[in-house]
Amino acid sequence: MELKDIKGLGPKKIELLEKLNIKTISDLVFYAPNYYEDRKKEYALSELEDSANALIKVRITQGGVFIPIKGMKAIKFRASDGVGAIDIVYYNQVWMKKNLKVGSWYYFFGKVKIFRGQISMANPIYSSTKSGELGEIVPVYPLTKDLSNKVLRNFINEAIKEYKPVDLLPIDLIDRYKLPSLKDILRLVHQPDSIDEGKKAIKIMSYIEAFLIQVASHKGIHLKKKYDGKVIKDNLIEREFLATLPFRLTGGQKSAIVEIKQDLESDEAMNRLLQGDVGSGKTVVGQYAAIKSVAAGYQVAFMAPTAILAEQNYKKIDQVANKFHMKVKLLTSSVTSAERAEIINELLNGNIDIIVGTHSLLNEEIKFKALGLVIIDEQHRFGVKQRAELIEKEEGVNLLVMSATPIPRSLALILYGEMDISEIRELPEGRQKIDTFAMSKHQFQTVNEFVEKELKKGRQAYYVCPLIEESEKMDLTSATELYKRLIPVFPDFNIAIVTGRTPEDEKNNIMSEFYNGSIDILVSTTVIEVGIDVPNASTMVIVNAERFGLSQLHQLRGRVGRGKYKSYCLLVCDDMSDDTFTRIKTMERSNDGFEIASEDLRLRGPGEFLGLKQSGRARLRFLKFDEDMDIIIKAKKDYDEWIKNANTDEVKVLEDNTKDFLGEFEIGVLN
Ligand code: ADP
Ligand code: MG
């Protein structure tokens, strides 16, 4: 069945539904009401409360007087339930004069107003019998202009008559919780007999969604929470490492270190996520774990999402490890095959203590003598699958993943539910706030002048553009276009460009030239998003900033303000609609990644935040991340139990159903 097969649903209405992201019958039947209205329970006038919606039954006692109110045609009736009296007023509905007869009884449903003891109702729904829109529990849906709740509701009710949904949950769970069939759940959502019944049905739908998120994100993998791990004993070198740090640790760093120490020294494997804003100092915490492990006789693998980041991490840890005579090597695709062979050999015989690289470290041919710890930097680029592979490959290995994309607790639980979490909430002392300004594209000259001033002081700058797909409108600026535009603007400075298409070697060259200061302006797509550390860069310009999620803007902004210089972030927006403005203003106001992530989640919804694909179609309709923590926890637990014993066919069926219901789902890739 398609939308157009529903009675009364013509092309015009189909267009309206599309505005609500309703494109299929399934979208329609799973359209979630915002709330329910009880148009069933009758109230005596004496029971009415100001501002509440209520159903009353009254007799018209005086009829249809026109009253002048601010250019509107208002018509007023007086009515009574035998005890009290009420004014019923209709604005701009002159025909009501004929519709309501003095002496007759009617039902009215509307919003009650009580002012100085006088009760009134404006533009109530009415009927002489308790039927149709009256006398029911009415779900109230999110609407769009020109589509009334009544009309939408009719379409939904038509659709669920014919709709034959496939149950989405595993049968074990349906049995355990004695859940109604999905068809019945839909009926309860859209046609409940009481508000409670409707709300309960919505909770069941939320649970189903929470469960399906688990299905979609775990891809049939069972991530164990606890398993035996290698014990990394307390040692003197880790103490020396901490004692000789060039700065005092922040509170968050200290507690993270204590937690990691306990994890490593216990005989359960560490499985920990370290969350902290860009610049909060996660590296030193990771280094501590690495130094401790090597000192206790183990090897460490340090994985970064890109070669560039791997190289930066390599340099940092190499400096530190040298002090303790530990051997560190970098393994990326630019290593020659001879070097590679030697590294593989040295990992196997235990000569190399710490290996830094990309996920290529997971390759079959790479084997360790005694791998004790794996550190993954910028975790959100790695999927669940890679994490699971790693744990499989190296039995009992301790795992520390570090993420600079802080996320609210509800999400952390969904994404990393099997992990323990450490959070670094504060930045090291003396860090300056990055001043952030939302600008319009018409102010682009001002932006460039600002950048020029900074460059003249000897600073460097980034210009970042969103990735543009071929199919998209051309009013978006591509990195290449911008690069060409900027060359004549900055004749005295060196500009370079890096995009996803730039060959790896060239990219590395450009990055190191930017790093050593011979390039002043780096134009790029979001490839520089993670982890790049150039302390002399003081200005981040983001073009088409409205195209990015807040968390991503925050990530990008974190590329500046990494040195001693006052730093700036200029967010250049193309479309300054109210929504955009509110969103971008959050960036001006806050420098706290945790706060920004919560706001991002609130404004864009979990679907966008999690990277639900097929935009417009794939949606979580019922689950509310801020209210439904208990449901998320329960679904997570049930999923973990279920997947342990589920057979492949069962998983496959569920995954297919999930894909139909949620759309393509890629978790762990935030955008
Ligand atoms: P991130 O969490 O983004 O990985 P880094 O670990 O790169 O942050 O730290 C950012 C900068 O702050 C580094 O130059 C680091 O040396 C410095 N740093 C880390 N911890 C402290 C601290 N407690 N006090 C002062 N500076 C610190
Ligand atoms: Mg880092």
Side-chain angles (χ1 to χ4, degrees):
M1 194 159 86
E2 289 176 52
L3 288 179
K4 64 176 169 48
D5 301 329
I6 291 180
K7 232 181 8 194
L9 233 180
K12 271 239 171 65
K13 291 282 191 304
I14 287 189
E15 244 172 62
L16 290 174
L17 290 183
E18 259 184 40
K19 286 192 186 159
L20 300 173
N21 273 316
I22 300 175
K23 293 180 186 143
T24 63
I25 290 287
S26 149
D27 293 339
L28 186 62
V29 298
F30 288 110
Y31 197 64
N34 275 340
Y35 59 95
Y36 294 99
E37 253 175 23
D38 189 342
R39 300 186 185 172
K40 201 169 171 179
K41 182 171 184 300
E42 262 175 67
Y43 289 85
L45 294 182
S46 60
E47 295 172 316
L48 295 180
E49 283 173 22
D50 186 37
S51 298
N53 286 312
L55 179 71
I56 55 172
K57 187 186 182 189
V58 289
R59 196 170 64 96
I60 304 289
T61 51
Q62 288 168 30
V65 190
F66 284 101
I67 49 171
I69 294 179
K70 284 184 250 157
M72 279 189 284
K73 284 213 165 98
I75 177 165
K76 184 161 107 175
F77 298 86
R78 191 85 180 143
S80 162
D81 65 352
V83 183
I86 183 168
D87 286 340
I88 305 285
V89 186
Y90 285 93
Y91 295 96
N92 292 336
Q93 299 184 30
V94 284
W95 58 89
M96 289 306 297
K97 185 169 170 58
K98 279 198 244 116
N99 290 6
L100 299 177
K101 306 237 162 8
V102 175
S104 298
W105 288 87
Y106 296 96
Y107 291 93
F108 291 98
F109 179 85
K111 190 169 174 183
V112 175
K113 194 171 153 200
I114 305 180
F115 183 66
R116 296 194 179 141
Q118 178 62 56
I119 312 173
S120 64
M121 241 181 217
N123 291 353
I125 306 169
Y126 82 100
S127 169
S128 49
T129 54
K130 212 170 162 178
S131 64
E133 282 285 281
L134 294 181
E136 291 180 325
I137 305 295
V138 175
V140 181
Y141 300 96
L143 296 170
T144 183
K145 197 168 162 287
D146 297 328
L147 185 68
S148 74
N149 197 61
K150 186 172 168 180
V151 169
L152 176 59
R153 195 173 159 228
N154 278 340
F155 292 151
I156 292 176
N157 287 342
E158 275 301 311
I160 59 175
K161 267 191 216 160
E162 299 293 323
Y163 191 69
K164 295 193 187 63
V166 193
D167 274 321
L168 292 165
L169 291 179
I171 192 79
D172 313 0
L173 288 170
I174 296 179
D175 286 350
R176 183 182 331 155
Y177 295 121
K178 301 198 170 47
L179 297 178
S181 72
L182 195 52
K183 188 160 177 92
D184 285 337
I185 298 171
L186 283 176
R187 201 193 52 74
L188 294 171
V189 166
H190 297 297
Q191 305 162 359
D193 284 331
S194 68
I195 288 186
D196 269 359
E197 202 175 75
K199 281 184 177 166
K200 239 194 203 152
I202 284 183
K203 290 290 172 209
I204 298 176
M205 283 311 303
S206 306
Y207 173 81
I208 293 175
E209 286 186 345
F211 192 90
L212 297 186
I213 295 177
Q214 294 299 319
V215 175
S217 59
H218 285 71
K219 312 227 182 293
I221 294 161
H222 174 231
L223 288 172
K224 284 179 285 189
K225 189 168 168 67
K226 296 288 169 207
Y227 43 92
D228 291 345
K230 295 179 176 153
V231 177
I232 312 247
K233 293 214 179 75
D234 180 33
N235 59 64
L236 288 175
I237 290 175
E238 62 172 283
R239 283 153 197 255
E240 192 186 333
F241 169 78
L242 291 176
T244 55
L245 286 175
F247 41 69
R248 270 186 36 216
L249 293 170
T250 65
Q253 286 173 319
K254 273 188 209 152
S255 13
I257 285 176
V258 168
E259 285 161 346
I260 288 169
K261 181 175 168 66
Q262 282 168 356
D263 285 354
L264 291 175
E265 289 172 10
S266 89
D267 54 10
E268 249 169 24
M270 171 162 79
N271 193 3
R272 184 169 290 278
L273 170 69
L274 174 62
Q275 287 205 88
D277 234 326
V278 177
S280 61
K282 295 180 295 296
T283 310
V284 67
V285 177
Q287 285 174 351
Y288 161 80
I291 299 290
K292 173 176 173 61
S293 302
V294 175
Y298 285 101
Q299 289 167 296
V300 175
F302 199 144
M303 295 202 304
T306 65
I308 296 172
L309 281 173
E311 195 171 329
Q312 285 199 357
N313 278 322
Y314 165 73
K315 282 184 187 143
K316 282 190 208 162
I317 194 131
D318 190 41
Q319 269 176 11
V320 174
N322 271 337
K323 260 187 13 193
F324 300 102
H325 313 291
M326 296 172 180
K327 186 163 179 183
V328 186
K329 280 276 171 180
L330 175 67
L331 182 61
T332 59
S333 51
S334 45
V335 168
T336 66
S337 55
E339 282 170 328
R340 184 182 166 85
E342 186 174 337
I343 288 175
I344 289 177
N345 190 30
E346 285 192 302
L347 283 172
L348 195 58
N349 68 26
N351 259 351
I352 294 176
D353 298 307
I354 301 175
I355 182 79
V356 185
T358 58
H359 59 267
S360 64
L361 292 182
L362 288 175
N363 274 352
E364 285 283 307
E365 46 178 0
I366 295 177
K367 299 202 175 66
F368 295 83
K369 185 176 182 213
L371 183 65
L373 170 69
V374 173
I375 301 175
I376 305 179
D377 200 12
E378 307 302 350
Q379 150 66 17
H380 64 289
R381 291 298 168 106
F382 286 93
V384 171
K385 192 152 177 236
Q386 284 157 325
R387 239 190 297 155
E389 271 173 13
L390 206 146
I391 294 169
E392 295 272 288
K393 180 176 167 181
E394 298 292 337
E395 210 178 313
V397 75
N398 292 288
L399 182 61
L400 176 64
V401 297
M402 308 203 283
S403 171
T405 310
I407 47 175
R409 242 191 69 73
S410 52
L411 259 191
L413 197 72
I414 288 180
L415 301 181
Y416 314 110
E418 72 292 342
M419 310 188 90
D420 297 312
I421 298 179
S422 299
E423 280 176 0
I424 305 180
R425 281 273 180 164
E426 70 271 66
L427 296 182
E429 255 173 55
R431 215 42 82 70
Q432 294 187 47
K433 187 173 179 290
I434 300 164
D435 283 347
T436 302
F437 303 98
M439 316 279 286
S440 145
K441 68 169 169 186
H442 305 295
Q443 296 166 287
F444 203 57
Q445 201 185 332
T446 319
V447 171
N448 294 335
E449 283 163 13
F450 185 94
V451 170
E452 192 178 355
K453 264 195 224 150
E454 284 295 302
L455 297 182
K456 282 186 172 154
K457 285 187 218 159
R459 301 291 81 75
Q460 291 160 280
Y462 297 96
Y463 279 77
V464 175
C465 295
L467 255 186
I468 302 174
E469 282 163 32
E470 306 276 320
S471 60
E472 285 185 284
K473 293 183 298 206
M474 286 321 290
D475 52 342
L476 293 165
T477 316
S478 76
T480 324
E481 276 169 55
L482 181 67
Y483 173 65
K484 287 186 194 144
R485 257 169 76 190
L486 290 178
I487 290 176
V489 177
F490 296 102
D492 303 335
F493 296 98
N494 286 328
I495 311 184
I497 176 168
V498 171
T499 71
R501 297 216 185 99
T502 314
E504 195 71 22
D505 307 357
E506 195 181 326
K507 186 156 61 179
N508 286 337
N509 284 342
I510 293 173
M511 289 316 297
S512 51
E513 281 181 47
F514 188 64
Y515 192 77
N516 70 31
S518 48
I519 289 172
D520 304 293
I521 299 178
L522 183 66
V523 180
S524 77
T525 51
T526 47
V527 288
I528 54 127
E529 182 191 349
V530 273
I532 301 299
D533 196 356
V534 180
N536 189 49
S538 67
T539 310
M540 166 66 62
V541 179
I542 303 176
V543 180
N544 287 120
E546 75 283 352
R547 301 269 300 185
F548 294 92
L550 292 182
S551 298
Q552 204 182 6
L553 289 177
H554 182 61
Q555 278 279 319
L556 288 167
R557 174 169 65 182
R559 298 303 115 226
V560 295
R562 299 186 74 97
K564 52 184 184 286
Y565 306 110
K566 175 75 189 164
S567 296
Y568 306 90
C569 176
L570 308 177
L571 302 169
V572 185
C573 300
D574 239 22
D575 131 58
M576 259 303 185
S577 67
D578 290 354
D579 287 359
T580 307
F581 193 70
T582 317
R583 252 161 38 87
I584 302 297
K585 280 285 165 188
T586 310
M587 297 299 297
E588 287 189 355
R589 202 179 61 234
S590 176
N591 260 302
D592 176 353
F594 287 91
E595 185 187 335
I596 287 170
S598 299
E599 189 67 3
D600 204 14
L601 186 60
R602 199 179 64 75
L603 291 173
R604 291 200 301 164
E608 304 268 320
F609 196 94
L610 292 172
L612 289 178
K613 296 290 171 59
Q614 294 178 345
S615 57
R617 194 177 121 41
R619 288 285 127 128
L620 296 170
R621 292 101 161 167
F622 294 88
L623 188 67
K624 301 249 181 341
F625 273 50
D626 38 356
E627 292 165 23
D628 292 333
M629 270 301 278
D630 51 337
I631 292 180
I632 293 171
I633 292 171
K634 188 170 169 158
K636 170 92 199 154
K637 199 167 146 259
D638 289 346
Y639 174 81
D640 286 344
E641 251 170 52
W642 173 77
I643 190 75
K644 251 190 276 181
N645 305 313
N647 67 48
T648 351
D649 289 347
E650 232 182 327
V651 175
K652 175 87 179 64
V653 169
L654 202 61
E655 277 178 353
D656 288 346
N657 291 346
T658 302
K659 209 179 254 174
D660 287 345
F661 187 74
L662 289 182
E664 281 296 334
F665 199 96
E666 186 77 56
I667 233 167
V669 184
L670 300 176
N671 54 73

